[in-house]
Every structure is written in C-alpha cells, then in structure tokens.
Amino acid sequence: MSAVLFPVPSSVFGQQAVRPRSRSYRLTYKVDLPNEGKKARLWLPLPDTNDTAHQFSQGSVWSGNADIARFDNIPGTTSPMFYAEWRGTGPRSVAVSSIIKTTDRVVDLRHYTESGAASIPAEVKRYLQPTKHIPLDGIVRKTALSIVKEANAQTPLKKAQAVYDWVVENSYRDPATRGCGRGDIKSMLESGNLGGKCADLNALFVGLTRAAGVPARDNYGIRIDESAAHKTLGQSGDVSSAQHCRPEFYLAGLGWVPVDPADVRQLALDEDLPISNPRVAALREKLFGAWEMNWVAFNHGRDINLAKDSILGELPFFMYPQAEVAGHLQDSLEPAEFIYKIVSSELVGTGVKF
C-alpha cells in the first residue's frame, strides 16, 4: 500500500477550499559569471523529475552563450542538474527555466496500523545508512536510543514522532548561520550547540531517526511561493536566497511521510514566540505528516562530488548553484557576488509554455 494523500482541510494551511491546492510555476536561474581567465564552469540543481502526487516536472530549457551545456544527473543519482562550461573570454551568461506543478501534501496517519508483515523496499534501505556528516554510531546512536527509550517508543511511527518532538524541543534556529547550515550533526551533538538552520535541524531529525532504525532522508530544494498561513515560511519572485530542505521518514506499508521540525523553529524565532504558543503548537502538529507545497524539491543527495576534476571538492549537499571561474570558486551563498538570480513565477491558465 502506498502513502495515502487526502484532501487538505482549510485549517491545515489557512486555505478556504477543502481540496488540495495545485499550482504550476516557472523557476528560472539567471547567471552571469565574471569574465576572468579562459575557463568557467557552472552546476545548477534542478527540480526533481521523479514525479510524485505532490510534485510533477514538465521539463527544463536553457539559453545562453555557453560553449558546452547539458542537462545531466547528479553523479550516482537520478536527480537532475544543469552543467555549462565556457572555454574562452567574453560574456558568460545562461538562463535555465523549469516548469513544475505542486500539490499540497498530507499523509493520513490517523488509521495507520504498523504490520510486521510489511517490508522495506531495497531502494529505501539505503536511507538507513550513515553519511560523512550523518554518522549513526557514537553520540548519534546514544542520543537516538535515549530519545526512543524515554518516550517508550516501540514502533517506527512512535520512534519518528519521538525524534521529531525532541528536535523541536531541544534545537533552535540560529540566524547567524550562513546559508542553510551544513548538517554536521555529530559536531552539534558533541558540542551541545543544537542551533542552526534547516540543513542542521532537519539533519538532526534524519540522523537520529536513522539511528533509531527508521529510514529517513532530506529533500533539498527551494521555496517558490508565499505561504497561505505563515508569511515567514514562504517567498516568491526573487527566491535567490530561499533555499530550504525538508525531511521525510519511511513507514513500511505506507510510504514516505513528510515532516519539517526546522520550520516550526523558524516560525518561533521569526515571530518571537515560545514553542508552547498556540500558533507554533498548531504548526508543530501539522508538520508531522504534511508539507505546504509552496516549495519544490531538487534531490536527496549527501556528500556529493559534482565532477572529479573540479576544485569544488565534496559538497555536503547540492542545493545552491556552484561555479568555478579561472580556477577559483564562486561563493554560492552570495548571489550578488556569484552572480546569479533565481526567480519564481506562478503560471495561471491551462496553457503552460516556456
């Protein structure tokens, strides 16, 4: 049995209609690299093309003056990316547009019964494995086992709920963190500093949930529209700095379940509210099993090498544009210096054209 999607009630994301909200968007990268040296390279993460009930890709196109340009997959994955290369001097410009349709997502956990007969598919089991920044031994395992023991969580669903609650109650959003953070959960747990942004707080959920024996993964992506309920959790138009990741955990016999503890903490910080505040408490409940799809996913990858011959080295994740110019890295967290701009626009009407 696959994950159950049911109509989103008006109370979930502040919408009037009882049907899930579906919308189409054009997401466009506009990049102008510096005219330095004789070679420049560019990598862009693109919307996931593994279509689901909540995200559907209608393809991508590009224009510009690159000497080499291609749509490709992130090495070792089926997740899409765009690559461009310039081999001479002169202007270096490219624009890449993707069209996606999203539908608000809610997984119905109300009647889920965990069965010992249900098995975890082979392709899901890899989300039980450690990564460089998400180890599953040592302090990570010790913390995970302590969390589930204290909550007396015996089943995968209860374990995931216990970890989610622990992350919400013990972490905090740190506005001083650059970008979305790095997700180095071992260092966070060893230092006792559980502050950060989405790639940190949601990596805590992923790592601790995996260490408790439940498959979990992060989805790296970007916000593409305003939120229907919480202004701080949305962005439209210029979304160059709106990158955001969201985690899921897997239940045998049901499928992937969406959560987002980091957004709970963001609302609490941005509106200066304690987690006991009714607005925060309501969002905390909603985000264990739901995503408002004013956001699009790119990929699930961790510890990524985009090219063996690149000076980029290993990336903890691929959520931002990456480039090297004349042998020097561009700062992906500084769009104005890079230079890139990401624009999201809602498409209205039945005819969707590039």
Side-chain angles (χ1 to χ4, degrees):
M1 181 174 71
S2 61
V4 178
L5 297 179
F6 66 100
V8 183
S10 59
S11 62
V12 173
F13 297 123
Q15 303 165 61
Q16 297 301 315
V18 295
R19 298 179 61 188
R21 180 180 65 173
S22 294
R23 295 186 179 182
S24 294
Y25 300 90
R26 178 183 284 111
L27 184 68
T28 302
Y29 290 95
K30 300 176 181 179
V31 184
D32 292 281
L33 295 179
N35 182 18
E36 299 173 5
K38 293 185 177 180
K39 187 175 182 179
R41 306 172 77 184
L42 171 71
W43 295 263
L44 301 175
L46 297 178
D48 196 347
T49 52
N50 294 306
D51 297 330
T52 64
H54 57 277
Q55 180 174 316
F56 177 78
S57 171
Q58 294 179 269
S60 302
V61 297
W62 79 277
S63 62
N65 58 11
D67 296 305
I68 297 174
R70 63 175 179 265
F71 293 103
D72 207 342
N73 289 335
I74 299 171
T77 78
T78 59
S79 299
M81 71 174 188
F82 174 78
Y83 173 76
E85 185 175 318
W86 291 261
R87 294 181 171 179
T89 58
R92 294 163 172 170
S93 300
V94 71
V96 181
S97 289
S98 304
I99 290 180
I100 56 270
K101 179 180 180 180
T102 68
T103 301
D104 285 339
R105 181 183 182 193
V106 176
V107 174
D108 188 355
L109 297 170
R110 294 172 300 181
H111 308 296
Y112 175 64
T113 302
E114 301 186 79
S115 171
S119 60
I120 297 174
E123 65 269 20
V124 174
K125 290 183 178 179
R126 65 192 179 104
Y127 297 110
L128 282 168
Q129 301 302 312
T131 70
K132 181 177 180 180
H133 293 100
I134 303 181
L136 303 183
D137 57 358
I139 193 169
V140 179
R141 177 172 171 77
K142 181 180 178 180
T143 304
L145 294 181
S146 174
I147 291 169
V148 298
K149 181 179 180 180
E150 183 175 349
N152 193 29
Q154 304 293 323
T155 67
L157 176 56
K158 295 297 185 182
K159 289 178 180 180
Q161 178 77 68
V163 172
Y164 175 85
D165 289 338
W166 187 90
V167 172
V168 168
E169 292 167 7
N170 291 277
S171 68
Y172 65 95
R173 181 174 172 83
D174 183 356
T177 300
R178 289 199 76 213
C180 290
R182 295 186 60 83
D184 186 350
I185 67 170
K186 179 182 178 182
S187 295
M188 294 173 70
L189 291 169
E190 287 179 340
S191 67
N193 180 4
L194 302 185
K197 291 186 180 173
C198 61
D200 301 312
L201 276 55
N202 286 338
L204 273 176
F205 173 84
V206 169
L208 293 170
T209 301
R210 287 187 187 183
V214 182
R217 66 187 184 186
D218 254 319
N219 297 260
Y220 298 97
I222 192 167
R223 301 190 199 271
I224 55 174
D225 202 354
E226 303 297 332
S227 169
H230 304 286
K231 180 177 176 58
T232 187
L233 304 182
Q235 197 163 327
S236 62
D238 185 347
V239 296
S240 303
S241 59
Q243 289 79 8
H244 182 62
C245 69
R246 286 174 157 174
E248 302 171 291
F249 67 95
Y250 190 88
L251 292 179
L254 181 61
W256 289 104
V257 179
V259 299
D260 195 343
D263 263 0
V264 180
R265 274 297 177 178
Q266 179 166 343
L267 179 67
L269 173 69
D270 292 346
E271 297 193 6
D272 193 22
L273 300 171
I275 60 171
S276 59
N277 180 274
R279 277 175 57 79
V280 180
L283 185 66
R284 172 179 177 172
E285 180 179 356
K286 293 167 187 173
L287 290 183
F288 188 80
W291 288 342
E292 181 182 7
M293 288 303 293
N294 60 334
W295 168 90
V296 64
F298 294 148
N299 59 74
H300 313 293
R302 293 284 310 192
D303 306 334
I304 293 173
N305 284 292
L306 292 175
K308 293 181 180 179
D309 59 343
S310 169
I311 60 173
L312 289 176
E314 186 178 79
L315 303 174
F317 46 79
F318 184 29
M319 185 163 53
Y320 292 85
Q322 301 290 333
E324 57 180 56
V325 178
H328 298 285
L329 295 179
Q330 300 297 104
D331 188 344
S332 63
L333 303 183
E334 296 292 342
E337 297 177 13
F338 189 107
I339 304 167
Y340 69 82
K341 186 175 183 179
I342 310 174
V343 178
S344 172
S345 56
E346 183 182 356
L347 300 174
V348 180
T350 57
V352 176
K353 296 181 180 179
F354 283 104

